[in-house]
Amino acid sequence: MNRIMIEFTLWTENPEVDIDNINQIIDIFPVEKESIGDIKYYGEKNKLKRYADVSSLMYSTGYINTIEVEYALKKMLSLISPSISNLINIVNEYKLNSKFCIVIDTIEKPIISIPSDIIKVIAELSAEIDFDIYNNYD
C-alpha cells in the first residue's frame, strides 16, 4: 500500500480565542474541530479519555494513493488556497500556531520533494512541517 496524507492544523493554547468564530471566518470544509476542555475517547473500545488542552482546527486530504509528497501537498493547497488570505490574517491576528503534517505510509520508497511555491505558502502561514513515516519497504 502506497499512500500519503497531509494534515494542516491551526491551534492555540489561549482559552480566550473563539475557535468556532475562526472556523466560520476561514470557511473551509471538512474540518475537525477541538476546543479546550473537550473530552475525546480513544483506545480499544474508546475506554480511554483525554481532555483537549488546546483549541484546534484540522484539515486533511485523507489518504491519497501516491508515493509523491509534492502531489499530496498540492491537494492540500487546492483545499486551502481559496481562503489563504484569511488564513494568513487569522494566524497573525490571533497568534495561532500552524503545522503541515505529512503522513507517509508506503511500501515503496517515497519521493520527498517540496517545491518553492509550496514552501512560500508554508512560510507565509508561519507553519511547521512534521513528517510521520511508516515505511514498510526493505
Side-chain angles (χ1 to χ4, degrees):
M1 182 178 338
N2 294 308
R3 59 191 192 159
I4 295 176
M5 173 173 53
I6 309 297
E7 296 173 334
F8 173 62
T9 306
L10 299 170
W11 80 93
T12 182
E13 295 174 1
N14 182 349
E16 302 297 316
V17 174
D18 184 350
I19 205 73
D20 290 313
N21 183 49
I22 291 172
N23 186 37
Q24 289 177 358
I25 294 168
I26 294 172
D27 197 32
I28 299 175
F29 295 96
V31 62
E32 185 176 314
K33 183 178 66 72
E34 192 171 85
S35 297
I36 293 174
D38 284 357
I39 299 173
K40 295 290 183 175
Y41 293 92
Y42 63 99
E44 188 176 325
K45 299 181 183 178
N46 289 325
K47 289 186 177 181
L48 302 172
K49 72 177 177 179
R50 84 170 170 82
Y51 293 91
D53 57 355
V54 298
S55 292
S56 64
L57 300 171
M58 196 262 299
Y59 308 94
S60 176
T61 61
Y63 277 107
I64 300 168
N65 293 323
T66 185
I67 61 169
E68 297 180 45
V69 168
E70 178 181 350
Y71 177 78
L73 279 168
K74 286 183 178 180
K75 291 285 188 184
M76 174 54 74
L77 287 186
S78 70
L79 176 68
I80 67 172
S81 286
S83 298
I84 199 71
S85 295
N86 278 345
L87 283 169
I88 293 167
N89 291 335
I90 286 168
V91 164
N92 292 322
E93 180 179 343
Y94 294 95
K95 297 176 179 56
L96 300 178
N97 300 294
S98 60
K99 174 173 53 177
F100 286 86
C101 184
I102 301 166
V103 183
I104 300 171
D105 184 6
T106 62
I107 296 169
E108 294 181 50
K109 293 179 181 172
I111 301 169
I112 301 175
S113 173
I114 305 174
S116 60
D117 60 323
I118 295 174
I119 291 172
K120 181 181 176 192
V121 171
I122 292 169
E124 288 174 337
L125 291 164
S126 301
E128 301 172 7
I129 303 172
D130 277 355
F131 285 88
D132 289 347
I133 301 174
Y134 307 97
N135 57 4
N136 299 309
Y137 51 85
D138 297 320

